[in-house]
Amino acid sequence: MSISAIRFPYPATPGNVPASATEVSPGFRREVKAVLGMIVLFFIVYLLLLAFGAALAAGCLYLGFVLFTSLSGFWGILAGLGIISVGVLVLFFLVKFLFAVNRSDMSSSVQITEEEQPVLFAFIRKVAEDTQTQFPKKIFLSADVNASVSYNSSFWSMFLPVKKNLQIGLGLVNSISISEFKAVLAHEFGHFSQRSMKLGSFVYQVNRIIYNMLYQNAGYAQVLNGLGNLHGLLAIFTHITIAIVRSIQWILQQMYGLINRRYSSLSREMEFHADAVAASVSGSEALITSLRRLEIADTAFGLTIQHCARLLEQKKVTPNIYPNQKATLEDLAINYNLDMQHGLPVLTDAFLAGLKTMRVNYKDQWASHPSREDREAHLRSLNITAENDPQTAWILFERIPYWQEQLTQKIYASADCSGTHPIVPPEYNEYLTTERNLYSLPAEYNGYYDGRQPEVPAEDDMLYIPGTAAGKTAAGLFASAYASLPKKITNLNAEIALLRQMAAGEVEVKTFDFDGKKYNRAEASALADELVKEEEELRRQLKTHDLLVVRYFIEVSTAKGESLESAYHAYFADARLAASYLDTLNKTLASLQPIYTGQLQTAEAAEQLVNELRTIHEPVVKRQLQVWLDKGVYANDATARESAEKFIASNNHYFDGTEFFNNELIALHQLCESSWQAVNQRLFADLKHILEKQTRLFSENKNAATAAV
């Protein structure tokens, strides 16, 4: 059967799409003119540098031959070669990009053929035809949540046609419908769908040329080092070459900054144009929903990788990661109370609006992509409708488990999988459920304790927590006004940090919006100071409320003859011990920083550092770690307990007078990290136990209120 005769599912294409929808926008034309101006300026500067390089090379060649003829013997030849090398190497630096090829790294991908995936190829050929784009030269499958068009580029690809390769991430296919898959592919092809878009590729190549001259000089540096190592006299000429090259690089760095800033603006316009092309063949809504699903799918994929890494520590390996990603996606939907349709989460406007917490808004002139919100607004303004096909994108693929397992093996390629056994999807689902139950808190607390622990009173203040339970209810203490306090503080800290960066010039802006009001950059510092005061007040309120909550539950539980006071006493005592242990660990690790920052210049300094480590820091770590061992933090992890006991009994030296014992330093780092994780998990478990015991008071309050009515 010929490829043209293959039947394949293909979502409906919009009808009567206005030609203006895919026309190049005025903004695009404006950015093109600006970038062209920068490119012309670059070539003028480059030609001047090239003329300088050619003149320098000619002069050095002439002077070198003069030395050959006027100075006889070894030194004349060496000096002549050194001078010639200066001119030749500087000129080569200016033209080496002509021979450079930037190859796309496909080592983590696998290529597929039309014989292997005839339906998928037929589908892609139709999308390419609809977007007026050439069919890809090669098609690859990768493991992640992505789709991209790439090619091996060089200086000559600015002028010669280059066939593009398409890469499809199976993490993407696993997370979207066939309509959304069509929209994503159409967007990628949209970057190359019209002649007017060729300028974008041209600008990209100019950017790559400058980048190559500035930063991709490993081979060039090896040549210079090799030449300098041949003889001391040649080393002098090498240093002269380096000085000249650095001066050229400084000039090019200024050009790179100018062009890249304009290119970022052009790139954003190109994204809008590619979105318009995609909408013209798939409809606006399909691309909007795919943009949303890509974000949560990428989060789910990252979490799945983390979960699989933890399972690998238990000698468990998944042969196929994609059912696991799907399970993690469903787990996220449960956590965020998202509806599922056709096996995929639905991200509503209300949900996404709730995630947007920053009140500081500004236009990032270095961003190469518009925000998702801006892209959605643009797509909605186009208002191109098409019937949605909710079927999974997997229906285009054949031998699905085989390819999923192939890409899963790529993920595990660098891991040590010796002595492992496979874990099947039901086991992974059980693991997810266990993790969710282990780290989730009762819903009655409305997220009040998520990601934090309550205020820990001083030991002698435990019985004198301010406030009273009079007139309070359990549910009322966790109403949204109180439950939102921790999140407000977190958001304020992020806003303050961003404003400080603006004030210091680390984030380049002229103006920004805050709560709908426009500010100049000069006002960022004063606004940050105001937010610091707001943050301090919210912290005071949170601290007061934390202690009031404790007083409430102690009073109410005591009145019922089941006092929680002893449980809180024990929890706060452990929290204080944990704070002290964390401080000890931080001081210990901080004492090692001079080893890794190159501040130790002598063996005596190293001896002093190690002596302080062994006599001051390590004994405290061991003493406090023993306390936690006695408290049973490793009760369910015999291997970790054995490791901790081994460290306590050890007599590490860390340094032998000439070099450090890296194995002992690494073991110390690992011990600090793993032990703190165990202590932190213990604290969380104790807090969760208290909170779960308290939850019955919520229902009792509610029942009492109902009875009163």
Side-chain angles (χ1 to χ4, degrees), residues 51 97 192 210 230 276 341 373 430 444 473 484 494 570 599 699 709:
F97 68 84
F192 307 97
I210 304 177
L230 290 176
Q341 289 183 5
E373 293 83 359
E430 183 179 342
E444 289 88 343
T473 65
S484 62
Q599 297 176 22
S699 58
V709 172

Side-chain angles (χ1 to χ4, degrees), residues 247-421:
S247 298
I248 293 172
Q249 284 180 314
W250 182 87
I251 295 171
L252 292 174
Q253 282 171 348
Q254 312 313 307
M255 297 303 305
Y256 184 74
L258 290 172
I259 292 178
N260 215 36
R261 183 177 302 177
R262 297 308 317 188
Y263 176 68
S264 294
S265 297
L266 175 60
S267 180
R268 293 193 292 270
E269 293 296 331
M270 290 166 63
E271 288 298 319
F272 284 130
H273 183 85
D275 282 349
V277 172
S280 71
V281 301
S282 66
S284 298
E285 194 60 30
L287 189 54
I288 288 173
T289 56
S290 69
L291 291 173
R292 296 183 174 191
R293 288 224 170 97
L294 279 170
E295 291 187 2
I296 193 170
D298 194 48
T299 299
F301 190 78
L303 288 172
T304 305
I305 296 293
Q306 292 178 25
H307 292 319
C308 288
R310 293 194 194 113
L311 289 167
L312 182 59
E313 294 174 358
Q314 304 172 25
K315 296 298 182 181
K316 297 177 181 179
V317 172
T318 177
N320 186 341
I321 201 171
Y322 296 99
N324 298 352
Q325 182 203 8
K326 206 63 177 287
T328 305
L329 198 61
E330 293 171 1
D331 192 63
L332 283 174
I334 293 172
N335 290 339
Y336 289 115
N337 295 315
L338 299 175
D339 290 334
M340 298 286 290
Q341 289 183 5
H342 307 288
L344 296 172
V346 179
L347 283 76
T348 63
D349 291 342
F351 169 74
L352 293 171
L355 297 179
K356 190 172 177 61
T357 56
M358 288 284 283
R359 293 175 291 175
V360 183
N361 294 294
Y362 67 100
K363 185 176 181 179
D364 185 356
Q365 58 188 332
W366 293 101
S368 61
H369 281 60
S371 67
R372 177 184 51 76
E373 293 83 359
D374 287 344
R375 292 176 70 180
E376 287 189 13
H378 172 243
L379 287 165
R380 287 204 168 94
S381 71
L382 296 175
N383 194 30
I384 300 174
T385 60
E387 185 178 348
N388 175 61
D389 187 340
Q391 297 181 87
T392 174
W394 283 118
I395 63 173
L396 300 170
F397 289 76
E398 298 185 20
R399 299 181 67 197
I400 295 171
Y402 171 80
W403 294 108
Q404 290 178 337
E405 290 169 8
Q406 288 290 303
L407 270 302
T408 300
Q409 290 176 20
K410 292 281 186 181
I411 294 173
Y412 281 104
S414 60
D416 179 11
C417 298
S418 58
T420 60
H421 62 275

Side-chain angles (χ1 to χ4, degrees), residues 389-464:
D389 187 340
Q391 297 181 87
T392 174
W394 283 118
I395 63 173
L396 300 170
F397 289 76
E398 298 185 20
R399 299 181 67 197
I400 295 171
Y402 171 80
W403 294 108
Q404 290 178 337
E405 290 169 8
Q406 288 290 303
L407 270 302
T408 300
Q409 290 176 20
K410 292 281 186 181
I411 294 173
Y412 281 104
S414 60
D416 179 11
C417 298
S418 58
T420 60
H421 62 275
I423 178 173
V424 295
E427 290 180 82
Y428 181 83
N429 294 346
E430 183 179 342
Y431 162 83
L432 274 185
T433 302
T434 301
E435 288 285 297
R436 183 171 64 248
N437 293 337
L438 184 63
Y439 293 107
S440 63
L441 294 173
E444 289 88 343
Y445 297 99
N446 207 11
Y448 183 71
Y449 294 107
D450 289 355
R452 72 180 195 95
Q453 67 176 32
E455 177 70 23
V456 179
E459 192 167 3
D460 54 352
D461 290 343
M462 181 62 206
L463 298 178
Y464 305 100

Side-chain angles (χ1 to χ4, degrees), residues 640-687:
R641 179 180 180 86
E642 182 181 345
S643 177
E645 290 173 340
K646 182 179 179 181
F647 171 76
I648 292 172
S650 68
N651 183 26
N652 294 328
H653 294 282
Y654 301 110
F655 187 66
D656 67 357
T658 57
E659 61 182 35
F660 288 98
F661 297 142
N662 288 329
N663 59 326
E664 293 182 351
L665 290 171
I666 291 171
L668 176 60
H669 269 274
Q670 292 175 341
L671 184 280
C672 290
E673 292 174 2
S674 62
S675 64
W676 172 246
Q677 183 180 9
V679 169
N680 205 31
Q681 288 176 345
R682 163 65 178 271
L683 275 183
F684 178 82
D686 288 347
L687 175 62

